[in-house]
Amino acid sequence: MNLKELVTGKKGDKQFLLGNEAAVRGVIEAGLSVAATYPGTPSSEIGNILSFLAKDANIYFEFSTNEKVAMEVAATAAASGLRSFTFMKHVGMNVASDSFMTTAYTGVRGGMVILIADDPSIFSSQNEQDSRHYGHLANLPVLEPSSCQEIKDMVKYGFELSEKVQLPVIVRTTTRVSHMRGIVEFGDVEDNSSNGETHWKKGTFKKNPAQFVPVPAFAQQMHIDLLEKMDEVKSISNKSDLNKQTNDAGSKIGAIASSSAFNYVHDVVNVNNLDIDVFKVGLSNPTPDKKLVEFLKDLDEVFVVEEVDPILEKEVLIVIAQNNLNVKVHGKLDGTFPMYHEFNPNIVKDGFNKYLHFYEKEEPKLTDSLKKLISEIPNRAPVLCSGCPHRAMYYGINKAAEELGIPSEDMVFASDIGCYTLGINPPYNAADYLLSMGSSVGDGCGFSVATDQHVVSFIGDSTFFHSGVSPLINAVHNKQNFVLTVLDNRITAMTGGQPNPGIPVDGMGDEAPEISIRKLANAAGVKFVRVVNPLNLEQVIKTYKEALEFDGVAVIIAKSPCTLIKGFPKRPTVQFDERKCNQCKKCSHELACPAISFKDNKIVLDGAMCNGCNICVQVCKYGALSAGR
Amino acid sequence: MAEDNYSMYICGVGGQGIIKTSVIIGEAAMNEGHNVVMSEIHGMSQREGSVSTELKIGDFDSSILPEHSADMILSFEPIELVRALDKANKDTKLVFNTFPLIPSSGDKPYPKIDNLISILKENYNNVLPIEGNQLAIDAGNIVSLNMVLLGAVTADDNFPISKESVIDAMKNNLNPKFHDLNLKAIESGYEWIRG
Ligand code: SF4
Ligand code: SF4
Ligand code: SF4
């Protein structure tokens, strides 16, 4: 498919879309005006596509410095009467939560949808949290799509609901929904054409401090108003078609499910011809209690199937208790389903089977040689790309410490969120502690106070702008002592190459002022600021040695582009001379570049993979590797 | 359950075109009027990581395959097939490229391909190794490896979509400059299985 069809597609067209693509079509159909995000998997593609389509779709789009800023951009646009959209991964929501909580109080004028993408099973995150709690915490409506069609439809409906009750609406997805592909039938597109000089529509903010300035006197009333609005949503939830029985077997056994868990329930019931009534919850907060009573009243037992936390299950238990129903509930709380990780058809089937006993597990009989083969296949872990500039910094810091005679147990490496987290792997072993975006700098502060060890923090350029600046100010002001490495690879690499404020291009592809990390560090009062070329090993090692001996906060900015940046110039491949190689293995074992391997006691250089960074040339003492021309 | 339900597990190594290939199959299924759902895992891996998709054609809502339920596993790399065997049963078609990509982790030795094939044949009824890299090179360019494998898929008797629909979807998804090359590659994969 051509992505432009997300804008030009007509009502009735069908496309095979990724969940995240469906979300984009949803906002386009809704006539969105303003969108903002900070990239995070599994929500990243939404931003990439919006960035590409913003102008065609009359949308203002930005990659904000962090999720809290994105939330504020969307909230103020909605307060000005425009439809606005912000989206992030679950942990990004933690960053945004401060402003988010109060946006529930102020409410909105134009529709505002907040899409939060959870990552059950932790495919690419640092934890596994259930964002539906944010709906309960803030008292906001939560929609839970389970298919690509529903993502599109619920995102669009989210704006309508938001405008109806003047509240932001949460759309909660999971990795399996965001990264699922399915058939999506398009609907009508609402007009959002510009009414001025920009290509996006402009709104007007009408002052009303009682609504928008939550000083205590106003905020007290706002809380009451919020609860009243949610009462209205509750009656909507009890009438909505998003909450409905999808399978009527006339059975005494039922299942209630939401999001991707609903899909597993549907398929397991269908494939195994089970006699189970199924209820799908799509608008899950506030809970559709009346509809649930209707569903539950004729049942003896019910399975509640949901991913991550037993939120729906507790709601069902409340409904049962309040209505004096006599229904046994099987879910996470009684151990029918696990409390962690994403579900799959087998988990759901096994859970049902504990009470229904409809099948006996049969494993295919495999020969011993196959079992042995399966247990012996090598792992294929993600590694830093060949030619990645980070590799040199990890090599450099370890060499510098070695040359200064600092034992490795006296070095503490505070890491951060990005490709460089892969520095945890041997041979670098350069990630000892990690919490969240920007935490390496705050962690550096803490380790510097709490220990006499040498502390070295690593942070990427995008992450530095996201939340590395304020802890750096903290470090200087509180006279702390550590080395901060800013790995400035000129892009937000791990999420697929989005721009950040350090780059002269913005999220719409327009020219934009480039913010200097060096000047920021200088302005914060850092006395030791150096910019190095990571591909110059001698310079890296020398600078690290000086930084380690410096008393105070030292900032080293390693500036060299990620090799996966679009248009990255292909550098000439390194030349390998087998006759000069004495097989010391330094290049393969100390650098671990995927282009170099050591096979049958010999170095093998994969020319197709080599990105010509020449780090290995600087590491080889025997001249067996030389720069290509 | 309808008879024409068909599910596939497609796997390999980052950068081999696994997702694109899967999308082509999915679009072809949609264009023939089937329901289709697919799951992709975009890991943290930039390169060299394992990549897989799951594709279910027919009356399905969930995009994940239950264990031992795949009609076909299509692997772009031999050990990635082995990694995916919990999706296979005795009759699953195991179509895979025999060219090894050796992981740089090097934690365990890479198995011998001949040995791997014969062990698979002892356990499964439909083991279909393909010299995909060679066929792609013969077709004109190694980058058409994914098209060779795509052609091989369409040659399976139970595969519910016609080769023509797959070719149409290919044309809709890939640069017209390479259509001739891709067509050649699809044919050679098809012939390999049929031949
Ligand atoms: S994507 Fe870029 S920054 Fe990330 S590992 Fe690869 S080269 Fe390095
Ligand atoms: S560092 Fe040089 S001498 Fe040592 S194994 Fe590598 S190429 Fe050979
Ligand atoms: S082989 Fe050497 S020059 Fe090529 S990418 Fe790897 S380290 Fe860089």
Side-chain angles (χ1 to χ4, degrees), chain A residues 264-557:
Chain A
Y264 308 134
V265 169
H266 172 270
D267 283 2
V268 168
V269 167
N270 209 14
V271 170
N272 300 285
N273 288 314
L274 299 182
D275 257 355
I276 296 185
D277 288 355
V278 181
F279 191 93
K280 177 178 186 348
V281 179
L283 172 47
S284 64
N285 193 44
T287 317
D289 51 356
K290 296 215 172 71
K291 281 203 166 196
L292 286 177
V293 172
E294 273 309 299
F295 178 70
L296 288 162
K297 68 180 189 335
D298 301 324
L299 300 179
D300 294 336
E301 291 177 72
V302 71
F303 294 89
V304 182
V305 197
E306 63 192 313
E307 281 173 320
V308 191
D309 291 338
I311 296 174
L312 188 56
E313 184 176 354
K314 286 181 183 166
E315 295 288 319
V316 167
L317 285 165
I318 292 170
V319 168
I320 289 172
Q322 281 184 332
N323 294 279
N324 293 316
L325 300 176
N326 189 10
V327 186
K328 234 177 139 39
V329 176
H330 305 301
K332 290 171 182 277
L333 295 170
D334 72 346
T336 303
F337 303 111
M339 278 280 202
Y340 48 82
H341 298 178
E342 72 166 6
F343 287 2
N344 59 43
N346 291 91
I347 289 173
V348 173
K349 190 169 151 188
D350 290 348
F352 286 170
N353 200 47
K354 284 181 190 161
Y355 299 92
L356 307 179
H357 312 289
F358 59 96
Y359 84 105
E360 269 189 65
K361 215 171 161 135
E362 222 183 298
E363 290 288 338
K365 291 182 195 61
L366 305 177
T367 60
D368 288 343
S369 50
L370 181 59
K371 285 187 195 144
K372 186 157 174 284
L373 180 69
I374 291 172
S375 68
E376 282 179 353
I377 49 171
N379 284 320
R380 205 183 285 282
V383 293
L384 294 174
C385 303
S386 59
C388 175
H390 301 340
R391 176 172 287 109
M393 296 308 286
Y394 289 132
Y395 181 85
I397 184 63
N398 284 322
K399 273 282 166 283
E402 191 186 310
E403 287 179 20
L404 291 176
I406 307 172
S408 70
E409 60 271 22
D410 276 345
M411 299 287 300
V412 178
F413 296 116
S415 193
D416 221 301
I417 309 287
C419 294
Y420 42 88
T421 320
L422 293 170
I424 189 173
N425 294 327
Y428 324 116
N429 304 316
D432 297 320
Y433 196 80
L434 169 67
L435 293 174
S436 63
M437 290 288 288
S439 67
S440 64
V441 191
D443 297 341
C445 297
F447 283 125
S448 135
V449 172
T451 74
D452 284 326
Q453 289 155 296
H454 292 275
V455 181
V456 181
S457 300
F458 294 95
I459 193 169
D461 45 345
S462 190
T463 316
F464 178 75
F465 290 116
H466 178 284
S467 40
V469 182
S470 14
L472 178 60
I473 292 168
N474 183 74
V476 176
H477 181 74
N478 292 306
K479 302 177 288 273
Q480 282 146 355
N481 181 5
F482 62 97
V483 181
L484 172 63
T485 315
V486 184
L487 299 159
D488 182 2
N489 61 2
R490 321 296 303 138
I491 207 81
T492 313
M494 192 170 77
T495 45
Q498 297 83 3
N500 66 52
I503 292 158
V505 183
D506 66 18
M508 316 253 280
D510 291 333
E511 223 176 282
E514 177 178 339
I515 313 297
S516 158
I517 296 173
R518 181 178 52 79
K519 286 188 191 157
L520 269 175
N522 282 331
V526 181
K527 293 279 174 317
F528 185 113
V529 184
R530 300 283 167 78
V531 180
V532 299
N533 173 6
L535 305 188
N536 179 343
L537 274 187
E538 200 183 321
Q539 188 193 23
V540 169
I541 296 167
K542 183 165 158 275
T543 311
Y544 262 132
K545 278 164 62 178
E546 288 169 22
L548 284 168
E549 290 185 322
F550 181 78
D551 189 18
V553 180
V555 172
I556 300 176
I557 302 161

